[in-house]
Amino acid sequence: MKTKLLGNISPRNFLRDYWQKKPLLVRGALPGFQGLLTPADLISLACRDDAQSRLVMQKNGKWEVRHGPFTSRIFSRLPKKNWTLLVQDVNHFLPEARELLLKFNFIPHARLDDLMVSYAPEEGGVGPHFDSYDVFLLQGMGRRYWQISAQQDKTLVKDGPLKILCDFRPEQEWMLEPGDMLYLPPGYAHNGVAADRCMTYSIGFRAPAYQELATQFLIYLQDNSMIEGIYHDPDISFQSHPGRISRDMLRQAGAALDKIKWNLVDIERFLGIYLTEPKSHVFFTPPSQPMTQQAFAHRIRDGKLQLDLKSRMLFSGKNIFLNGDAYTVGIQARRLLGKLADSLALPVAEDLDDESLTLLYQWYLYGYVEI
């Protein structure tokens, strides 16, 4: 079905023709959209200890980056031009941000990273650069001037605080107004400059490097593998060079390490755990006065349960993954909890089984879900 969000292109056709292939400019992707926050709201977020924020400034042609949390006093001393405030994971703090992200659920949740929001006065920006992930740049209040390029030269300015391109050669340019949106695949060079006071909503999709996946998978295997036995050499022979590693030792160690095995089930569990692992700065708050499991069950059946804004949930096969943990569940629980993973919320749960109830109540006590 065609959608205005993608310029009257269906999600299937967008994925086929544009996703990770070429940019797409959509005028009026969200008609009437002025944003979810005011500049003052974003500044307040940037002053929180549990938010990740950056302040990017350009002075005399040089770039400077400061990391939050900030104090509101800092912003009262900033110049009228040439700076940008960026706050990551706004969807952790704002229910409306989650609703915005759900508009992009034609991309699997496993690929979603976060909603970053930026505010800039006139001429504010972060310089010409490229990202290694897909991003939808949705314009809120104000106007931003965008230039993009498919250039292959990715040489960066040396020793800079930001990854700024040395030689940016724009090929296309547009002025985005409230509700307009620009999709960029990975590696596309781009530069956005505020034409006036403006806010941009960046919906980013994670793309882990294979080296990162390999490193984390080896850590997973370390925690989930057991190789029996201990090195032994009752028939060791005399060596004229005691500093040399013998061939017998190499063969025995090789035979032991060859016992490290994995299959698709291991990869499935690893990916579910890895992709839902909360970022290092994320913490959950258990309810201060938790209700009983019986009262909890009544509330679920009568009302609406949803994931905490910071929770990440996926499922695959017999497994449910939530915030870095794996749970193997039965068919009925998979069906119900799968709905929670898809929609991030449950409507009235009339078919609530004992296994689902036990898990949901446990997650409620952890602060992973809320009512």
Side-chain angles (χ1 to χ4, degrees):
M1 182 182 295
K2 295 180 179 180
T3 171
K4 196 169 184 65
L5 180 69
L6 296 173
N8 291 322
I9 296 173
S10 71
R12 289 182 184 274
N13 288 348
F14 169 79
L15 295 175
R16 182 193 66 199
D17 298 333
Y18 292 92
W19 180 255
Q20 299 218 320
K21 302 174 187 69
K22 59 182 179 181
L24 175 66
L25 173 68
V26 183
R27 295 292 186 188
L30 287 179
F33 182 76
Q34 289 287 334
L36 309 176
L37 297 160
T38 65
D41 293 333
L42 195 68
I43 288 172
S44 293
L45 271 183
C47 295
R48 292 181 54 150
D49 291 337
D50 55 348
Q52 288 189 314
S53 56
R54 289 172 291 157
L55 185 59
V56 178
M57 293 169 285
Q58 189 178 23
K59 295 180 181 178
N60 302 319
K62 293 186 178 181
W63 294 93
E64 179 184 339
V65 181
R66 299 182 192 175
H67 294 271
F70 300 102
T71 61
S72 56
R73 189 177 180 184
I74 290 174
F75 296 95
S76 64
R77 298 179 173 181
L78 291 174
K80 293 183 178 180
K81 297 182 179 181
N82 288 327
W83 59 270
T84 299
L85 172 65
L86 306 104
V87 181
Q88 302 284 155
D89 295 311
V90 171
N91 48 297
H92 287 182
F93 305 97
L94 206 63
E96 296 85 352
R98 168 183 280 179
E99 295 304 312
L100 176 62
L101 292 181
L102 283 172
K103 295 181 183 296
F104 297 84
N105 65 4
F106 51 88
I107 308 297
H109 295 330
R111 290 282 272 110
L112 179 65
D113 190 4
D114 76 331
L115 173 67
M116 182 184 73
V117 180
S118 66
Y119 166 70
E122 185 180 350
E123 297 182 17
V126 297
H129 65 285
F130 66 93
D131 299 313
S132 58
Y133 51 84
D134 304 85
V135 64
F136 292 88
L137 301 164
L138 176 63
Q139 189 61 30
M141 60 166 274
R143 300 173 301 153
R144 185 178 288 274
Y145 178 62
W146 285 102
Q147 297 174 309
I148 70 170
S149 173
Q151 67 188 66
Q152 297 302 306
D153 182 2
K154 299 295 198 299
T155 306
L156 302 176
V157 174
K158 289 184 178 180
D159 302 322
L162 293 165
K163 294 182 177 180
I164 303 293
L165 288 165
C166 281
D167 184 20
F168 177 58
R169 300 183 298 278
E171 298 170 349
Q172 295 175 281
E173 52 191 48
W174 305 280
M175 183 74 74
L176 266 65
E177 300 189 355
D180 292 344
M181 185 173 72
L182 175 62
Y183 163 73
L184 292 175
Y188 237 86
H190 54 286
N191 185 34
V193 179
D196 43 38
R197 294 173 67 246
C198 76
M199 298 183 74
T200 301
Y201 292 71
S202 302
I203 297 94
F205 292 83
R206 66 192 301 181
Y210 285 142
Q211 181 60 47
E212 165 71 7
L213 280 179
T215 300
Q216 295 303 317
F217 184 57
L218 290 174
I219 294 172
Y220 170 85
L221 288 179
Q222 172 184 304
D223 295 336
N224 293 274
S225 298
M226 178 63 68
I227 300 177
E228 301 292 342
I230 186 172
Y231 183 84
H232 62 285
D233 49 7
D235 300 321
I236 189 172
S237 56
F238 174 77
Q239 288 187 194
S240 57
H241 297 286
R244 176 183 295 163
I245 299 175
S246 69
R247 290 188 177 276
D248 286 340
M249 176 173 276
L250 289 173
R251 278 194 291 268
Q252 187 177 158
L257 296 178
D258 195 45
K259 295 178 182 178
I260 301 174
K261 304 291 184 183
W262 63 86
N263 54 34
L264 284 177
V265 173
D266 294 307
I267 296 172
E268 176 185 79
R269 287 181 62 84
F270 157 70
L271 275 178
I273 292 169
Y274 171 74
L275 293 173
T276 61
E277 183 73 35
K279 296 177 182 178
S280 59
H281 68 282
V282 171
F283 297 92
F284 294 89
T285 305
S288 57
Q289 294 181 316
M291 65 184 77
T292 65
Q293 183 166 324
Q294 184 179 8
F296 177 79
H298 284 301
R299 289 287 298 274
I300 295 177
R301 291 189 174 97
D302 294 340
K304 189 174 183 180
L305 176 141
Q306 61 183 4
L307 290 177
D308 180 85
L309 291 176
K310 294 175 287 188
S311 285
R312 293 185 63 92
M313 187 177 187
L314 298 170
F315 65 91
S316 181
K318 298 179 180 180
N319 297 304
I320 301 290
F321 304 99
L322 179 61
N323 295 334
D325 291 320
Y327 305 85
T328 302
V329 298
I331 294 175
Q332 192 172 354
R334 287 204 300 274
R335 188 179 300 117
L336 181 70
L337 298 176
K339 292 178 182 178
L340 179 59
D342 281 338
S343 304
L344 313 183
L346 280 179
V348 177
E350 297 177 350
D351 56 346
L352 184 64
D353 61 285
D354 290 341
E355 185 177 21
S356 295
L357 173 60
T358 300
L359 277 177
L360 289 170
Y361 184 67
Q362 177 184 329
W363 297 341
Y364 160 72
L365 295 177
Y366 292 165
Y368 293 172
V369 300
E370 57 187 29
I371 296 180

